Amino acid sequence: MARQSAGLLLYRRREGRIEVLLVHPGGPFGRKRDAGAWSVPKGEFTSEEDPLDAARREFQEETGLCAAGAFKPLEPVRQAGGKIVYAWAVEGDCDPEAIRSNLFSMEWPPGSGKIKEFPEVDRAEWFALERAVEKIIGGQRPLLEELGRLLGQ
């Protein structure tokens, strides 16, 4: 069975255009990456968990924020590694400077025997849809395209 993730695509309206909140991966591997590295706040879930519940949980874990509103399901997408991403669009607003991500542990540097903690997400930012297409992981671009269609952009 393919790995699966669920997440929320938070959007807002600013000066007649749509902006989306994307997150940047934390840890040493994402530090220098930018274009094609950003993501919808999301995470893996099991078949026993409701995907929307997982999306809301993961959004809170990765941002420290609770999302509420009318959740609009988007068509699932398959990323290059085979992972299926289920996402819901929801209108809202937040200060990206206020996000607080959960931490993960890994051996760093590799082979050192030292375990270090890193934030799962090191920052978040609002992007206009056109700019978000450049920033987001390629496999998640259809989520932005579908949101644009849904909102008439």
Side-chain angles (χ1 to χ4, degrees):
M1 180 176 188
R3 292 180 14 219
Q4 53 190 12
S5 285
L8 299 179
L9 179 55
L10 190 68
Y11 70 92
R12 68 183 185 184
R13 300 166 199 268
R14 285 288 185 270
E15 300 174 9
R17 65 183 196 181
I18 301 299
E19 295 181 338
V20 294
L21 183 77
L22 299 180
V23 295
H24 187 268
F29 299 116
R31 186 175 47 226
K32 295 181 181 179
R33 296 178 56 219
D34 188 50
W38 294 72
S39 176
V40 170
K42 63 168 183 47
E44 291 189 8
F45 68 100
T46 65
S47 58
E48 292 81 37
E49 189 174 11
D50 176 73
L52 179 55
D53 289 343
R56 295 175 72 189
R57 172 183 47 78
E58 287 293 333
F59 185 86
Q60 184 171 13
E61 287 179 5
E62 292 195 352
T63 66
L65 307 170
C66 291
F71 296 97
K72 301 173 180 131
L74 302 172
E75 280 298 314
V77 296
R78 184 179 298 272
Q79 295 185 163
K83 182 186 286 185
I84 298 171
V85 177
Y86 298 86
W88 285 260
V90 61
E91 189 167 6
D93 203 353
C94 70
D95 176 1
E97 298 293 321
I99 71 154
R100 298 291 175 262
S101 177
N102 60 335
L103 303 175
F104 70 95
S105 301
M106 66 180 286
E107 181 182 19
W108 191 258
S112 68
K114 296 178 184 176
I115 303 298
K116 292 194 175 182
E117 286 190 329
F118 299 95
E120 206 168 320
V121 165
D122 63 13
R123 64 189 182 274
E125 193 170 327
W126 287 103
F127 295 102
L129 271 178
E130 312 79 48
R131 183 84 168 119
V133 168
E134 300 168 14
K135 296 288 188 175
I136 201 165
I137 294 168
Q140 294 179 26
R141 283 188 191 122
L143 298 173
L144 299 177
E145 294 163 1
E146 183 176 0
L147 178 66
R149 285 191 303 275
L150 285 172
L151 301 177
Q153 293 283 303

